[in-house]
Amino acid sequence: MDARLEAIRGTVLARNPGEGEFHQAVTEVFESLGPVHDRHPEFLEGAVLERLCEPERQIIFRVPWTDDAGRVQINRGFRVEFNSALGPYKGGLRFHPSVYLGIVKFLGFEQIFKNALTGMPIGGGKGGSDFDPRGRSDAEVMRFCQSFMTELYRHIGEYTDVPAGDIGVGGREIGYLFGQYKRITNRYESGVLTGKGISWGGSLVRPEATGYGTVIFTEEMLKTRGKSFDGQRVVVSGTGNVAINAIAKAQSLGAIVVACSDSSGYIVDDAGIDVALLRQVKEVERGRLKDYETRRPAVTYVDGGSVWDVDATVALPCATQNELDGDAAARLVRNGLIAVGEGANMPSTRDAVAVFQDSGVLFGPGKAANAGGVATSALEMQQNASRDSWTFAHTEQRLTEIMVGIHDRCAATADEYGDPGNYVLGANIGGFVKVADAMLAQGLI
Ligand code: NDP
């Protein structure tokens, strides 16, 4: 790493102790930015990186609620409003027991660059709670969401900060959060949250957007080598919103998706995953992946273990951070992997990324490859602002154009900086320069 940036990185790490995921995200971005600072000394003079690594605002709050047995439960809520140079803070809420400040900051930091890459007017933020919706009744989830929003409402707004979903936060949770926001503020402010239901301000394609977008980005990478998804053997991790829609889109392009996972295990279905059955099990019944195996013959369910043990030509990690390590990456490469598109945020460890890049595997980092979700959230905001609702076909067309645009910008930036095909470099520099220019233009704030 460039020595000037290494010194700044050291200060950032020391100021934010114990936040390993945030350190990892910062390090990964800094490693790309040396050449930019050679060309733009004004970024160093204006202390852009130091400012960028310090969130504009961080909110941590108590979330009290009662469970179905009448017991009082306490969770911790977070919203990190990281950077508003390009627009209102924008980024999802994650409800998962692993959530703490370091996770929210890593996600918020990544979000700044991702949102810049979309070309839409949105800043970066992220939030969530250590609440675990799994195994909770609808009534418990509703009471939790109402309590969470009772604090969060004063910090958000369509021109201020616009949360959305992430792990553990889907349409059900967004509905309860929106209802409570409306009740407290007495405003039907559609643009305050995205991922809403279609009948009350949501956008068609938003549920599919992250998974579809990841596949579209990966298809663009494959095209640079004269290939496509057609006939590829694909492994996807996760079976949540991103994973299921990535599976559906990859199969629509002729791929065979042979395996997917949840946090308990994985299935191998050599005939190709039955997406309708998977949606029934995971989205309608909120069941476990094991339930899929019991309804489909010739499927193997592996309890525990790693889905990355299954051979693939294309890997789409769509579950969570650091789920694919260097050993798994090396095994995948040995077994014929040609491309990786990150549907999740930072799912590959730094070792894994190095293995992919050193082996010439096409590697699309999450901040570029999974930007279709937030881009479609921005399309939802556009529809809300104009009191309009677009067709599925039109919205999907916009998503496709945006993803192709992100791919091409990353590729062109990598070329410009002398490292063709390095999408990590292209995404980091492309996102950073846009935000840095805006920060300098807006003065020392
Ligand atoms: P969901 O909650 O819908 O699904 C998450 C999936 O990942 C589930 O299958 C879950 O398994 C699995 N998972 C979660 N945590 C772990 C863990 N610690 N270990 C193993 N498996 C785990 O979330 P999303 O699909 O929305 O999000 C998935 C990823 O995509 C995240 O990294 C998120 O930040 C990223 N992302 C999401 C966007 C969106 O629009 N939703 C936008 C951009 C990125 P189980 O069911 O067993 O819990």
Side-chain angles (χ1 to χ4, degrees):
M1 184 183 299
D2 182 291
R4 300 162 300 177
L5 273 57
E6 180 63 62
I8 300 169
R9 189 186 80 103
T11 309
V12 172
L13 267 52
R15 280 172 66 78
N16 299 278
E19 297 177 359
E21 296 82 359
F22 178 51
H23 298 177
Q24 184 182 342
V26 166
T27 302
E28 188 255 334
V29 170
F30 275 38
E31 275 172 344
S32 300
L33 297 183
V36 179
H37 287 82
D38 294 337
R39 289 192 197 181
H40 294 279
E42 70 274 18
F43 292 160
L44 281 174
E45 285 153 22
V48 170
L49 272 179
E50 291 91 328
R51 287 155 63 190
L52 199 57
C53 291
E54 188 71 21
E56 292 177 14
R57 192 175 298 109
Q58 307 185 55
I59 302 141
I60 302 181
F61 52 99
R62 180 174 67 201
V63 189
W65 57 284
T66 48
D67 65 19
D68 285 346
R71 279 187 302 262
V72 173
Q73 302 278 347
I74 303 294
N75 286 98
R76 187 170 288 174
F78 302 88
R79 187 72 185 165
V80 173
E81 297 180 333
F82 227 116
N83 192 290
S84 61
L86 299 181
Y89 311 106
K90 181 89 197 83
L93 299 170
R94 175 176 293 190
F95 292 169
H96 191 271
S98 63
V99 168
Y100 77 108
L101 188 59
I103 295 263
V104 180
K105 280 167 67 177
F106 119 64
L107 290 165
F109 187 71
E110 293 268 299
Q111 198 84 44
I112 302 170
F113 306 101
K114 179 189 310 191
N115 293 2
L117 283 171
T118 65
M120 323 285 281
I122 41 180
K126 200 79 185 190
S129 174
D130 58 358
F131 171 71
D132 188 357
R134 249 173 51 190
R136 291 292 178 188
S137 68
D138 284 352
E140 289 177 316
V141 171
M142 182 183 75
R143 287 195 294 275
F144 173 82
C145 289
Q146 290 179 339
S147 181
F148 186 87
M149 185 53 87
T150 301
E151 173 58 32
L152 187 68
Y153 89 95
R154 70 191 80 242
H155 306 289
I156 62 175
E158 64 176 316
Y159 298 113
T160 318
D161 183 354
V162 184
D166 190 79
I167 291 178
V169 178
R172 174 182 62 170
E173 291 75 17
I174 293 292
Y176 296 146
L177 291 163
F178 183 75
Q180 184 71 353
Y181 182 85
K182 178 165 65 89
R183 181 190 195 190
I184 296 175
T185 60
N186 193 30
R187 282 164 61 87
Y188 204 106
E189 189 183 328
S190 300
V192 71
L193 289 171
T194 57
K196 299 181 294 296
I198 298 306
S199 60
W200 44 277
S203 173
L204 290 166
V205 190
R206 178 60 190 91
E208 294 85 359
T210 308
Y212 277 27
T214 301
V215 170
I216 296 166
F217 186 95
T218 308
E219 175 90 342
E220 291 304 302
M221 292 198 300
L222 288 165
K223 280 187 197 165
T224 66
R225 303 235 174 121
K227 298 191 162 75
S228 74
F229 261 101
D230 195 21
Q232 302 294 346
R233 181 180 160 94
V234 179
V235 169
V236 175
S237 63
T239 33
N241 169 272
V242 179
I244 292 180
N245 289 297
I247 295 169
K249 184 72 177 177
Q251 298 206 142
S252 78
L253 295 178
I256 304 172
V257 182
V258 293
C260 62
S261 62
D262 63 14
S263 56
S264 308
Y266 66 90
I267 51 164
V268 181
D269 188 342
D270 281 311
I273 305 277
D274 178 340
V275 177
L277 175 58
L278 190 61
R279 285 194 194 279
Q280 174 66 26
V281 169
K282 295 297 291 191
E283 293 177 350
V284 179
E285 299 168 16
R286 293 183 186 274
R288 308 299 299 157
L289 197 47
K290 182 151 188 29
D291 305 336
Y292 176 101
E293 181 211 24
T294 57
R295 295 196 222 165
R296 193 159 148 96
V299 167
T300 311
Y301 174 76
V302 180
D303 201 31
S306 166
V307 73
W308 306 122
D309 288 343
V310 182
D311 299 356
T313 54
V314 178
L316 302 175
C318 295
T320 194
Q321 65 278 350
N322 291 329
E323 51 157 310
L324 200 173
D325 64 16
D327 290 343
R331 197 163 47 242
L332 283 164
V333 169
R334 268 198 310 277
N335 292 334
L337 189 77
I338 59 168
V340 178
E342 291 191 326
N345 286 308
M346 211 168 73
S348 312
T349 64
R350 281 160 42 75
D351 288 350
V353 176
V355 170
F356 294 141
Q357 293 192 317
D358 292 348
S359 324
V361 166
L362 292 162
F363 178 73
K367 63 170 75 70
N370 73 33
V374 75
T376 309
S377 277
L379 299 180
E380 182 174 333
M381 292 161 73
Q382 275 185 30
Q383 292 170 75
N384 294 154
S386 58
R387 303 257 190 275
D388 199 0
S389 53
W390 304 342
T391 62
F392 193 97
H394 175 68
T395 317
E396 191 180 19
Q397 179 58 30
R398 291 288 311 271
L399 168 66
T400 304
E401 288 162 8
I402 291 167
M403 293 314 299
V404 172
I406 294 172
H407 171 273
D408 292 352
R409 262 194 302 286
C410 292
T413 307
D415 286 349
E416 185 190 336
Y417 281 84
D419 198 352
N422 186 341
Y423 291 92
V424 173
L425 187 93
N428 287 337
I429 294 183
F432 171 76
V433 170
K434 201 161 175 214
V435 177
D437 282 341
M439 287 173 71
L440 286 182
Q442 292 170 22
L444 187 56
I445 52 172

mmCIF file of all heavy atoms in Angstrom, residues 197-225:
data_model
loop_
_atom_site.group_PDB
_atom_site.id
_atom_site.type_symbol
_atom_site.label_atom_id
_atom_site.label_comp_id
_atom_site.label_asym_id
_atom_site.label_seq_id
_atom_site.Cartn_x
_atom_site.Cartn_y
_atom_site.Cartn_z
ATOM 1 N N GLY A 197 -44.145 -2.428 -0.197
ATOM 2 C CA GLY A 197 -45.050 -3.282 -0.972
ATOM 3 C C GLY A 197 -45.543 -2.544 -2.209
ATOM 4 O O GLY A 197 -45.639 -1.310 -2.207
ATOM 5 N N ILE A 198 -45.876 -3.313 -3.252
ATOM 6 C CA ILE A 198 -46.222 -2.701 -4.535
ATOM 7 C C ILE A 198 -47.469 -1.815 -4.425
ATOM 8 O O ILE A 198 -47.556 -0.763 -5.039
ATOM 9 C CB ILE A 198 -46.466 -3.805 -5.600
ATOM 10 C CG1 ILE A 198 -45.185 -4.615 -5.812
ATOM 11 C CG2 ILE A 198 -46.947 -3.207 -6.919
ATOM 12 C CD1 ILE A 198 -43.987 -3.782 -6.147
ATOM 13 N N SER A 199 -48.422 -2.216 -3.592
ATOM 14 C CA SER A 199 -49.677 -1.448 -3.534
ATOM 15 C C SER A 199 -49.536 -0.170 -2.713
ATOM 16 O O SER A 199 -50.432 0.650 -2.684
ATOM 17 C CB SER A 199 -50.792 -2.320 -2.954
ATOM 18 O OG SER A 199 -50.433 -2.723 -1.650
ATOM 19 N N TRP A 200 -48.425 0.010 -2.001
ATOM 20 C CA TRP A 200 -48.289 1.226 -1.170
ATOM 21 C C TRP A 200 -46.922 1.900 -1.370
ATOM 22 O O TRP A 200 -46.252 2.297 -0.435
ATOM 23 C CB TRP A 200 -48.590 0.946 0.308
ATOM 24 C CG TRP A 200 -47.998 -0.311 0.876
ATOM 25 C CD1 TRP A 200 -48.499 -1.571 0.779
ATOM 26 C CD2 TRP A 200 -46.782 -0.418 1.637
ATOM 27 N NE1 TRP A 200 -47.658 -2.464 1.434
ATOM 28 C CE2 TRP A 200 -46.618 -1.770 1.974
ATOM 29 C CE3 TRP A 200 -45.832 0.507 2.090
ATOM 30 C CZ2 TRP A 200 -45.537 -2.233 2.714
ATOM 31 C CZ3 TRP A 200 -44.754 0.046 2.844
ATOM 32 C CH2 TRP A 200 -44.624 -1.316 3.130
ATOM 33 N N GLY A 201 -46.556 2.036 -2.663
ATOM 34 C CA GLY A 201 -45.400 2.883 -2.967
ATOM 35 C C GLY A 201 -44.134 2.144 -3.342
ATOM 36 O O GLY A 201 -43.113 2.780 -3.611
ATOM 37 N N GLY A 202 -44.191 0.820 -3.363
ATOM 38 C CA GLY A 202 -42.996 0.057 -3.739
ATOM 39 C C GLY A 202 -42.782 0.047 -5.241
ATOM 40 O O GLY A 202 -43.645 0.492 -6.001
ATOM 41 N N SER A 203 -41.631 -0.452 -5.652
ATOM 42 C CA SER A 203 -41.318 -0.534 -7.074
ATOM 43 C C SER A 203 -41.278 -1.991 -7.507
ATOM 44 O O SER A 203 -40.681 -2.832 -6.813
ATOM 45 C CB SER A 203 -39.947 0.089 -7.343
ATOM 46 O OG SER A 203 -39.580 -0.126 -8.692
ATOM 47 N N LEU A 204 -41.880 -2.252 -8.663
ATOM 48 C CA LEU A 204 -41.672 -3.568 -9.268
ATOM 49 C C LEU A 204 -40.172 -3.752 -9.485
ATOM 50 O O LEU A 204 -39.438 -2.767 -9.671
ATOM 51 C CB LEU A 204 -42.428 -3.667 -10.592
ATOM 52 C CG LEU A 204 -43.961 -3.727 -10.444
ATOM 53 C CD1 LEU A 204 -44.654 -3.472 -11.774
ATOM 54 C CD2 LEU A 204 -44.387 -5.077 -9.878
ATOM 55 N N VAL A 205 -39.704 -4.987 -9.427
ATOM 56 C CA VAL A 205 -38.304 -5.383 -9.634
ATOM 57 C C VAL A 205 -37.421 -5.110 -8.403
ATOM 58 O O VAL A 205 -36.334 -5.644 -8.308
ATOM 59 C CB VAL A 205 -37.651 -4.721 -10.884
ATOM 60 C CG1 VAL A 205 -36.296 -5.341 -11.205
ATOM 61 C CG2 VAL A 205 -38.537 -4.842 -12.107
ATOM 62 N N ARG A 206 -37.892 -4.303 -7.407
ATOM 63 C CA ARG A 206 -37.016 -4.082 -6.247
ATOM 64 C C ARG A 206 -36.674 -5.400 -5.538
ATOM 65 O O ARG A 206 -35.502 -5.628 -5.216
ATOM 66 C CB ARG A 206 -37.618 -3.063 -5.260
ATOM 67 C CG ARG A 206 -36.749 -2.837 -3.995
ATOM 68 C CD ARG A 206 -35.373 -2.310 -4.351
ATOM 69 N NE ARG A 206 -34.406 -2.279 -3.248
ATOM 70 C CZ ARG A 206 -33.562 -3.253 -2.933
ATOM 71 N NH1 ARG A 206 -33.571 -4.399 -3.594
ATOM 72 N NH2 ARG A 206 -32.702 -3.108 -1.949
ATOM 73 N N PRO A 207 -37.657 -6.324 -5.320
ATOM 74 C CA PRO A 207 -37.279 -7.566 -4.632
ATOM 75 C C PRO A 207 -36.255 -8.379 -5.425
ATOM 76 O O PRO A 207 -35.381 -9.024 -4.850
ATOM 77 C CB PRO A 207 -38.603 -8.336 -4.512
ATOM 78 C CG PRO A 207 -39.678 -7.296 -4.636
ATOM 79 C CD PRO A 207 -39.118 -6.241 -5.552
ATOM 80 N N GLU A 208 -36.352 -8.327 -6.748
ATOM 81 C CA GLU A 208 -35.453 -9.144 -7.580
ATOM 82 C C GLU A 208 -34.113 -8.449 -7.826
ATOM 83 O O GLU A 208 -33.153 -9.086 -8.281
ATOM 84 C CB GLU A 208 -36.106 -9.397 -8.952
ATOM 85 C CG GLU A 208 -37.366 -10.241 -8.948
ATOM 86 C CD GLU A 208 -38.641 -9.440 -8.671
ATOM 87 O OE1 GLU A 208 -38.545 -8.212 -8.458
ATOM 88 O OE2 GLU A 208 -39.723 -10.053 -8.644
ATOM 89 N N ALA A 209 -34.052 -7.135 -7.583
ATOM 90 C CA ALA A 209 -33.001 -6.311 -8.199
ATOM 91 C C ALA A 209 -31.568 -6.701 -7.828
ATOM 92 O O ALA A 209 -30.687 -6.701 -8.700
ATOM 93 C CB ALA A 209 -33.233 -4.845 -7.852
ATOM 94 N N THR A 210 -31.318 -7.011 -6.567
ATOM 95 C CA THR A 210 -29.923 -7.280 -6.193
ATOM 96 C C THR A 210 -29.438 -8.572 -6.846
ATOM 97 O O THR A 210 -28.351 -8.619 -7.445
ATOM 98 C CB THR A 210 -29.772 -7.357 -4.666
ATOM 99 O OG1 THR A 210 -30.359 -6.189 -4.094
ATOM 100 C CG2 THR A 210 -28.322 -7.440 -4.257
ATOM 101 N N GLY A 211 -30.254 -9.621 -6.761
ATOM 102 C CA GLY A 211 -29.867 -10.899 -7.367
ATOM 103 C C GLY A 211 -29.779 -10.806 -8.880
ATOM 104 O O GLY A 211 -28.807 -11.259 -9.499
ATOM 105 N N TYR A 212 -30.789 -10.189 -9.493
ATOM 106 C CA TYR A 212 -30.767 -10.031 -10.955
ATOM 107 C C TYR A 212 -29.531 -9.215 -11.353
ATOM 108 O O TYR A 212 -28.817 -9.546 -12.306
ATOM 109 C CB TYR A 212 -32.011 -9.277 -11.442
ATOM 110 C CG TYR A 212 -33.263 -10.106 -11.638
ATOM 111 C CD1 TYR A 212 -33.504 -11.271 -10.917
ATOM 112 C CD2 TYR A 212 -34.246 -9.695 -12.546
ATOM 113 C CE1 TYR A 212 -34.670 -11.995 -11.094
ATOM 114 C CE2 TYR A 212 -35.412 -10.422 -12.724
ATOM 115 C CZ TYR A 212 -35.625 -11.564 -11.996
ATOM 116 O OH TYR A 212 -36.789 -12.279 -12.174
ATOM 117 N N GLY A 213 -29.323 -8.120 -10.643
ATOM 118 C CA GLY A 213 -28.220 -7.215 -10.990
ATOM 119 C C GLY A 213 -26.869 -7.913 -10.893
ATOM 120 O O GLY A 213 -25.981 -7.702 -11.731
ATOM 121 N N THR A 214 -26.707 -8.763 -9.887
ATOM 122 C CA THR A 214 -25.449 -9.493 -9.723
ATOM 123 C C THR A 214 -25.186 -10.385 -10.936
ATOM 124 O O THR A 214 -24.058 -10.475 -11.443
ATOM 125 C CB THR A 214 -25.496 -10.346 -8.431
ATOM 126 O OG1 THR A 214 -25.714 -9.466 -7.328
ATOM 127 C CG2 THR A 214 -24.230 -11.141 -8.220
ATOM 128 N N VAL A 215 -26.256 -11.021 -11.406
ATOM 129 C CA VAL A 215 -26.106 -11.907 -12.570
ATOM 130 C C VAL A 215 -25.843 -11.086 -13.835
ATOM 131 O O VAL A 215 -25.005 -11.461 -14.665
ATOM 132 C CB VAL A 215 -27.352 -12.813 -12.703
ATOM 133 C CG1 VAL A 215 -27.340 -13.571 -14.026
ATOM 134 C CG2 VAL A 215 -27.395 -13.790 -11.531
ATOM 135 N N ILE A 216 -26.521 -9.958 -13.962
ATOM 136 C CA ILE A 216 -26.294 -9.117 -15.154
ATOM 137 C C ILE A 216 -24.832 -8.648 -15.177
ATOM 138 O O ILE A 216 -24.164 -8.685 -16.215
ATOM 139 C CB ILE A 216 -27.253 -7.905 -15.166
ATOM 140 C CG1 ILE A 216 -28.714 -8.376 -15.290
ATOM 141 C CG2 ILE A 216 -26.904 -6.938 -16.296
ATOM 142 C CD1 ILE A 216 -29.752 -7.304 -14.974
ATOM 143 N N PHE A 217 -24.322 -8.204 -14.010
ATOM 144 C CA PHE A 217 -22.927 -7.747 -13.943
ATOM 145 C C PHE A 217 -21.973 -8.892 -14.305
ATOM 146 O O PHE A 217 -21.018 -8.724 -15.076
ATOM 147 C CB PHE A 217 -22.618 -7.231 -12.528
ATOM 148 C CG PHE A 217 -21.255 -6.610 -12.388
ATOM 149 C CD1 PHE A 217 -21.092 -5.233 -12.500
ATOM 150 C CD2 PHE A 217 -20.125 -7.390 -12.172
ATOM 151 C CE1 PHE A 217 -19.836 -4.643 -12.385
ATOM 152 C CE2 PHE A 217 -18.867 -6.817 -12.059
ATOM 153 C CZ PHE A 217 -18.713 -5.440 -12.164
ATOM 154 N N THR A 218 -22.256 -10.066 -13.777
ATOM 155 C CA THR A 218 -21.377 -11.217 -14.016
ATOM 156 C C THR A 218 -21.417 -11.627 -15.492
ATOM 157 O O THR A 218 -20.391 -11.985 -16.085
ATOM 158 C CB THR A 218 -21.780 -12.397 -13.102
ATOM 159 O OG1 THR A 218 -21.833 -11.918 -11.756
ATOM 160 C CG2 THR A 218 -20.794 -13.543 -13.185
ATOM 161 N N GLU A 219 -22.613 -11.536 -16.086
ATOM 162 C CA GLU A 219 -22.746 -11.844 -17.523
ATOM 163 C C GLU A 219 -21.876 -10.876 -18.345
ATOM 164 O O GLU A 219 -21.219 -11.280 -19.314
ATOM 165 C CB GLU A 219 -24.231 -11.728 -17.929
ATOM 166 C CG GLU A 219 -24.513 -11.912 -19.411
ATOM 167 C CD GLU A 219 -24.781 -13.364 -19.808
ATOM 168 O OE1 GLU A 219 -24.429 -14.277 -19.036
ATOM 169 O OE2 GLU A 219 -25.320 -13.583 -20.915
ATOM 170 N N GLU A 220 -21.856 -9.613 -17.943
ATOM 171 C CA GLU A 220 -21.021 -8.634 -18.664
ATOM 172 C C GLU A 220 -19.540 -9.003 -18.534
ATOM 173 O O GLU A 220 -18.770 -8.858 -19.475
ATOM 174 C CB GLU A 220 -21.270 -7.219 -18.136
ATOM 175 C CG GLU A 220 -22.644 -6.654 -18.474
ATOM 176 C CD GLU A 220 -22.931 -6.648 -19.970
ATOM 177 O OE1 GLU A 220 -22.154 -6.030 -20.718
ATOM 178 O OE2 GLU A 220 -23.925 -7.280 -20.391
ATOM 179 N N MET A 221 -19.140 -9.442 -17.333
ATOM 180 C CA MET A 221 -17.733 -9.875 -17.172
ATOM 181 C C MET A 221 -17.446 -11.066 -18.081
ATOM 182 O O MET A 221 -16.406 -11.115 -18.743
ATOM 183 C CB MET A 221 -17.445 -10.272 -15.714
ATOM 184 C CG MET A 221 -17.465 -9.145 -14.720
ATOM 185 S SD MET A 221 -16.612 -9.576 -13.173
ATOM 186 C CE MET A 221 -17.531 -10.971 -12.574
ATOM 187 N N LEU A 222 -18.373 -12.036 -18.099
ATOM 188 C CA LEU A 222 -18.162 -13.235 -18.927
ATOM 189 C C LEU A 222 -18.030 -12.864 -20.404
ATOM 190 O O LEU A 222 -17.208 -13.435 -21.133
ATOM 191 C CB LEU A 222 -19.325 -14.223 -18.723
ATOM 192 C CG LEU A 222 -19.342 -14.950 -17.374
ATOM 193 C CD1 LEU A 222 -20.704 -15.604 -17.122
ATOM 194 C CD2 LEU A 222 -18.230 -15.997 -17.289
ATOM 195 N N LYS A 223 -18.825 -11.880 -20.824
ATOM 196 C CA LYS A 223 -18.789 -11.470 -22.242
ATOM 197 C C LYS A 223 -17.404 -10.988 -22.651
ATOM 198 O O LYS A 223 -17.008 -11.139 -23.806
ATOM 199 C CB LYS A 223 -19.796 -10.340 -22.483
ATOM 200 C CG LYS A 223 -21.229 -10.790 -22.643
ATOM 201 C CD LYS A 223 -22.072 -9.567 -23.039
ATOM 202 C CE LYS A 223 -23.538 -9.803 -22.828
ATOM 203 N NZ LYS A 223 -24.305 -8.536 -22.864
ATOM 204 N N THR A 224 -16.656 -10.390 -21.704
ATOM 205 C CA THR A 224 -15.321 -9.878 -22.063
ATOM 206 C C THR A 224 -14.384 -11.022 -22.451
ATOM 207 O O THR A 224 -13.338 -10.802 -23.040
ATOM 208 C CB THR A 224 -14.676 -9.074 -20.911
ATOM 209 O OG1 THR A 224 -14.415 -9.962 -19.809
ATOM 210 C CG2 THR A 224 -15.532 -7.906 -20.472
ATOM 211 N N ARG A 225 -14.773 -12.262 -22.083
ATOM 212 C CA ARG A 225 -13.966 -13.429 -22.491
ATOM 213 C C ARG A 225 -14.710 -14.281 -23.514
ATOM 214 O O ARG A 225 -14.438 -15.483 -23.643
ATOM 215 C CB ARG A 225 -13.647 -14.287 -21.265
ATOM 216 C CG ARG A 225 -12.928 -13.508 -20.165
ATOM 217 C CD ARG A 225 -11.631 -14.135 -19.739
ATOM 218 N NE ARG A 225 -10.937 -13.289 -18.807
ATOM 219 C CZ ARG A 225 -10.590 -13.649 -17.576
ATOM 220 N NH1 ARG A 225 -10.874 -14.856 -17.131
ATOM 221 N NH2 ARG A 225 -9.938 -12.806 -16.790
#
